[in-house]
Amino acid sequence: MESLLKHLQLENRQLPIGGGDINQAYRVTDGSKDYFLKVHPNMSEAFFQAEADGLQVLSEVVRVPKTFASGVHENDAYLLMEWIEPGQGDQRDIGKALAKIHGQKQENFGYRQDNYLGLFPQINTKSEDWWSFYFGNRLEVQIEIAKQRNRWTRQREERYYSLKEQVLLRWKDLSFKPSLLHGDFWSGNTFFDTNGEPVFIDPAIYYGHRELDIAMEQLFGGFRQTLFDAYQEVYPLDEGWQERVPIYQLYYLLVHLNLFGESYGGAVDRILGGK
Ligand code: ADP
């Protein structure tokens, strides 16, 4: 860390910043301006490049920290960003900002490069078919990881394929244009600046079904109903969205099963359902 700061000609102001699950984070200064520095030991350059890229894309529609530098110094990957002083705001503005993100469209599902959800790879190979993208590049990638970690049983496998069949039967012809997604939309990944403007961080962007961000918004605590109501006012969800929420929460629950283990097994099984 000392060597990295010297390399960047910065000084530490306060260490470390709590709240980050994955990286070390520091408030640093060049003597006149503060910065937010994220460091991840033994990580490749691609990791923070993907984060910087996601922030760049989101910056066209919402407030995100500007990124100034990223790279690897003595095995430490780092990302130097604008320090944004946290303030108070109204969650309705987060809902409206999310609707703005989702208003960004593209022809295909996926993204021009793979990226990460936390430390897990997100395969973004472009596809014209939503369900093959979602099952193949999202759920089944996590299922493979669950298998490697001995968190996948024969029963889960059977139920998964039966659920997949049901989804395809029911929503094979679901038609919508791919939306830009934040991709990791839980309450820890937004905050307000001192003007009350929402700030979005830690993106895992790609173009997909906007109900994924909604499903995650509803999965973990921290967001208010007013956020959702404001979203609905600006960009109402399509009919049947409630029934698809569990299908999309399954992705984040599989990620949590892989991260934290069986404590998420019950929630996974409830969605996979019985025969
Ligand atoms: P991690 O990638 O490890 O999850 P985060 O990016 O979530 O780390 O950062 C940890 C905490 O630091 C966040 O919860 C947020 O409150 C704060 N934070 C993130 N980015 C900034 C920033 N640019 N300026 C000020 N505070 C920030």
Side-chain angles (χ1 to χ4, degrees), residues 17-25 36 38 51 65 81-86 188-189 191 201-202:
I17 310 278
D21 290 336
I22 291 169
N23 306 290
Q24 301 159 11
F36 188 77
K38 281 170 99 161
E51 180 167 339
M81 293 188 280
E82 174 190 7
W83 172 266
I84 297 179
E85 191 61 32
N189 283 344
F191 63 98
I201 56 173
D202 288 347

Short mmCIF file of all heavy atoms in Angstrom, two decimals, residues 17-25 36 38 51 65 81-86 188-189 191 201-202, ligand 1:
data_model
loop_
_atom_site.label_atom_id
_atom_site.label_comp_id
_atom_site.label_asym_id
_atom_site.label_seq_id
_atom_site.Cartn_x
_atom_site.Cartn_y
_atom_site.Cartn_z
N ILE A 17 -11.79 2.18 4.49
CA ILE A 17 -13.21 2.51 4.45
C ILE A 17 -13.98 1.21 4.62
O ILE A 17 -13.74 0.26 3.91
CB ILE A 17 -13.60 3.12 3.08
CG1 ILE A 17 -12.66 4.25 2.69
CG2 ILE A 17 -15.04 3.54 3.06
CD1 ILE A 17 -12.96 5.59 3.29
N GLY A 18 -14.92 1.22 5.53
CA GLY A 18 -15.72 0.01 5.74
C GLY A 18 -16.77 -0.14 4.67
O GLY A 18 -16.96 0.75 3.86
N GLY A 19 -17.43 -1.26 4.68
CA GLY A 19 -18.57 -1.43 3.78
C GLY A 19 -18.28 -2.23 2.55
O GLY A 19 -19.13 -2.91 2.04
N GLY A 20 -17.05 -2.16 2.07
CA GLY A 20 -16.72 -2.93 0.87
C GLY A 20 -16.58 -4.40 1.23
O GLY A 20 -15.92 -4.74 2.20
N ASP A 21 -17.22 -5.23 0.45
CA ASP A 21 -17.17 -6.66 0.74
C ASP A 21 -15.91 -7.29 0.18
O ASP A 21 -15.43 -8.29 0.67
CB ASP A 21 -18.35 -7.37 0.06
CG ASP A 21 -19.66 -7.00 0.73
OD1 ASP A 21 -19.61 -6.62 1.90
OD2 ASP A 21 -20.70 -7.11 0.06
N ILE A 22 -15.42 -6.70 -0.87
CA ILE A 22 -14.49 -7.45 -1.70
C ILE A 22 -13.12 -6.81 -1.74
O ILE A 22 -12.10 -7.49 -1.67
CB ILE A 22 -15.07 -7.53 -3.12
CG1 ILE A 22 -16.30 -8.44 -3.09
CG2 ILE A 22 -14.07 -8.09 -4.11
CD1 ILE A 22 -17.11 -8.42 -4.32
N ASN A 23 -13.08 -5.50 -1.82
CA ASN A 23 -11.81 -4.82 -2.01
C ASN A 23 -11.43 -4.04 -0.77
O ASN A 23 -12.26 -3.76 0.09
CB ASN A 23 -11.92 -3.84 -3.17
CG ASN A 23 -12.42 -4.52 -4.42
OD1 ASN A 23 -11.71 -5.31 -5.01
ND2 ASN A 23 -13.66 -4.25 -4.81
N GLN A 24 -10.16 -3.66 -0.71
CA GLN A 24 -9.77 -2.69 0.30
C GLN A 24 -10.03 -1.31 -0.30
O GLN A 24 -9.75 -1.09 -1.47
CB GLN A 24 -8.28 -2.84 0.62
CG GLN A 24 -7.92 -4.22 1.12
CD GLN A 24 -6.44 -4.52 0.95
OE1 GLN A 24 -5.64 -3.63 0.66
NE2 GLN A 24 -6.07 -5.78 1.14
N ALA A 25 -10.54 -0.41 0.51
CA ALA A 25 -10.84 0.92 -0.01
C ALA A 25 -10.26 1.98 0.92
O ALA A 25 -10.29 1.81 2.14
CB ALA A 25 -12.34 1.10 -0.15
N PHE A 36 -10.94 8.27 -4.01
CA PHE A 36 -11.33 6.98 -3.45
C PHE A 36 -10.49 5.93 -4.16
O PHE A 36 -10.54 5.80 -5.38
CB PHE A 36 -12.83 6.75 -3.71
CG PHE A 36 -13.41 5.56 -3.03
CD1 PHE A 36 -13.72 5.58 -1.67
CD2 PHE A 36 -13.67 4.39 -3.74
CE1 PHE A 36 -14.29 4.48 -1.03
CE2 PHE A 36 -14.24 3.28 -3.11
CZ PHE A 36 -14.54 3.33 -1.76
N LYS A 38 -9.43 1.98 -4.57
CA LYS A 38 -9.75 0.58 -4.31
C LYS A 38 -8.54 -0.27 -4.68
O LYS A 38 -7.92 -0.06 -5.72
CB LYS A 38 -10.94 0.14 -5.16
CG LYS A 38 -12.27 0.59 -4.60
CD LYS A 38 -13.38 0.36 -5.57
CE LYS A 38 -14.14 -0.90 -5.28
NZ LYS A 38 -15.47 -0.92 -5.93
N GLU A 51 -14.67 -2.70 -14.13
CA GLU A 51 -15.45 -1.80 -13.26
C GLU A 51 -15.45 -0.37 -13.83
O GLU A 51 -16.49 0.29 -13.91
CB GLU A 51 -14.89 -1.81 -11.85
CG GLU A 51 -15.67 -0.89 -10.91
CD GLU A 51 -15.35 -1.11 -9.43
OE1 GLU A 51 -14.84 -2.20 -9.08
OE2 GLU A 51 -15.59 -0.19 -8.64
N PRO A 65 -18.87 7.83 -9.71
CA PRO A 65 -17.56 8.45 -9.50
C PRO A 65 -16.75 8.42 -10.79
O PRO A 65 -16.77 7.41 -11.51
CB PRO A 65 -16.90 7.54 -8.45
CG PRO A 65 -17.96 6.61 -7.95
CD PRO A 65 -19.05 6.58 -8.96
N MET A 81 -10.46 6.63 -8.01
CA MET A 81 -11.71 7.28 -8.41
C MET A 81 -11.89 8.60 -7.70
O MET A 81 -11.25 8.87 -6.68
CB MET A 81 -12.89 6.39 -8.04
CG MET A 81 -12.97 5.11 -8.81
SD MET A 81 -14.53 4.28 -8.42
CE MET A 81 -14.12 3.56 -6.89
N GLU A 82 -12.83 9.34 -8.21
CA GLU A 82 -13.27 10.58 -7.55
C GLU A 82 -13.82 10.24 -6.16
O GLU A 82 -14.56 9.27 -6.00
CB GLU A 82 -14.40 11.15 -8.42
CG GLU A 82 -15.11 12.35 -7.88
CD GLU A 82 -16.37 12.70 -8.70
OE1 GLU A 82 -16.74 11.91 -9.60
OE2 GLU A 82 -16.96 13.75 -8.43
N TRP A 83 -13.44 11.04 -5.16
CA TRP A 83 -14.07 10.91 -3.85
C TRP A 83 -15.39 11.67 -3.88
O TRP A 83 -15.43 12.85 -4.25
CB TRP A 83 -13.18 11.48 -2.74
CG TRP A 83 -13.91 11.53 -1.43
CD1 TRP A 83 -14.59 12.59 -0.90
CD2 TRP A 83 -14.07 10.45 -0.50
NE1 TRP A 83 -15.16 12.24 0.30
CE2 TRP A 83 -14.88 10.93 0.57
CE3 TRP A 83 -13.65 9.12 -0.48
CZ2 TRP A 83 -15.24 10.13 1.65
CZ3 TRP A 83 -14.00 8.33 0.61
CH2 TRP A 83 -14.78 8.83 1.65
N ILE A 84 -16.47 10.97 -3.55
CA ILE A 84 -17.77 11.65 -3.49
C ILE A 84 -18.24 11.66 -2.04
O ILE A 84 -18.47 10.60 -1.46
CB ILE A 84 -18.81 10.96 -4.40
CG1 ILE A 84 -18.36 11.04 -5.87
CG2 ILE A 84 -20.19 11.62 -4.24
CD1 ILE A 84 -19.30 10.39 -6.87
N GLU A 85 -18.34 12.84 -1.49
CA GLU A 85 -18.75 12.99 -0.10
C GLU A 85 -20.19 12.48 0.04
O GLU A 85 -21.07 12.95 -0.68
CB GLU A 85 -18.65 14.47 0.28
CG GLU A 85 -18.78 14.77 1.75
CD GLU A 85 -17.71 14.11 2.62
OE1 GLU A 85 -16.56 13.93 2.16
OE2 GLU A 85 -18.05 13.77 3.76
N PRO A 86 -20.43 11.52 0.93
CA PRO A 86 -21.80 11.01 1.05
C PRO A 86 -22.73 12.00 1.75
O PRO A 86 -22.32 12.73 2.65
CB PRO A 86 -21.64 9.74 1.89
CG PRO A 86 -20.31 9.80 2.51
CD PRO A 86 -19.48 10.79 1.76
N GLY A 188 -26.27 -1.40 -0.99
CA GLY A 188 -24.89 -0.97 -0.75
C GLY A 188 -24.21 -0.40 -1.98
O GLY A 188 -23.12 0.16 -1.88
N ASN A 189 -24.83 -0.55 -3.13
CA ASN A 189 -24.21 -0.07 -4.36
C ASN A 189 -24.79 1.23 -4.87
O ASN A 189 -24.59 1.61 -6.04
CB ASN A 189 -24.24 -1.16 -5.43
CG ASN A 189 -23.18 -2.22 -5.16
OD1 ASN A 189 -22.26 -1.98 -4.38
ND2 ASN A 189 -23.31 -3.38 -5.79
N PHE A 191 -25.49 5.37 -3.20
CA PHE A 191 -25.55 6.30 -2.07
C PHE A 191 -25.88 7.68 -2.63
O PHE A 191 -26.07 7.82 -3.85
CB PHE A 191 -24.26 6.28 -1.22
CG PHE A 191 -22.99 6.71 -1.92
CD1 PHE A 191 -22.51 8.02 -1.77
CD2 PHE A 191 -22.25 5.83 -2.69
CE1 PHE A 191 -21.32 8.43 -2.39
CE2 PHE A 191 -21.07 6.22 -3.31
CZ PHE A 191 -20.61 7.52 -3.16
N ILE A 201 -22.52 2.77 -7.80
CA ILE A 201 -21.17 2.20 -7.79
C ILE A 201 -21.23 0.69 -8.05
O ILE A 201 -22.30 0.10 -8.09
CB ILE A 201 -20.43 2.49 -6.46
CG1 ILE A 201 -21.24 1.98 -5.26
CG2 ILE A 201 -20.14 3.98 -6.33
CD1 ILE A 201 -20.50 2.07 -3.93
N ASP A 202 -20.05 0.09 -8.18
CA ASP A 202 -19.89 -1.37 -8.33
C ASP A 202 -20.80 -1.99 -9.39
O ASP A 202 -21.51 -2.95 -9.12
CB ASP A 202 -20.16 -2.07 -7.00
CG ASP A 202 -19.06 -1.85 -6.00
OD1 ASP A 202 -17.99 -1.37 -6.40
OD2 ASP A 202 -19.26 -2.17 -4.81
P1 ADP B 1 -16.45 -3.08 -2.76
O1 ADP B 1 -16.18 -3.10 -4.22
O2 ADP B 1 -15.39 -3.76 -1.99
O3 ADP B 1 -17.83 -3.57 -2.42
P2 ADP B 1 -17.38 -0.38 -2.60
O4 ADP B 1 -17.09 0.16 -3.94
O5 ADP B 1 -18.77 -0.85 -2.34
O6 ADP B 1 -16.35 -1.56 -2.28
O7 ADP B 1 -16.99 0.72 -1.52
C1 ADP B 1 -17.20 0.58 -0.14
C2 ADP B 1 -17.98 1.77 0.44
O8 ADP B 1 -17.29 2.98 0.18
C3 ADP B 1 -19.34 1.93 -0.23
O9 ADP B 1 -20.34 1.28 0.48
C4 ADP B 1 -19.55 3.42 -0.29
O10 ADP B 1 -20.32 3.85 0.83
C5 ADP B 1 -18.17 4.02 -0.19
N1 ADP B 1 -17.77 4.55 -1.52
C6 ADP B 1 -17.69 3.87 -2.68
N2 ADP B 1 -17.24 4.64 -3.67
C7 ADP B 1 -17.04 5.87 -3.12
C8 ADP B 1 -16.57 7.14 -3.64
N3 ADP B 1 -16.21 7.25 -4.92
N4 ADP B 1 -16.50 8.18 -2.80
C9 ADP B 1 -16.84 8.03 -1.51
N5 ADP B 1 -17.28 6.89 -0.96
C10 ADP B 1 -17.38 5.82 -1.75
#
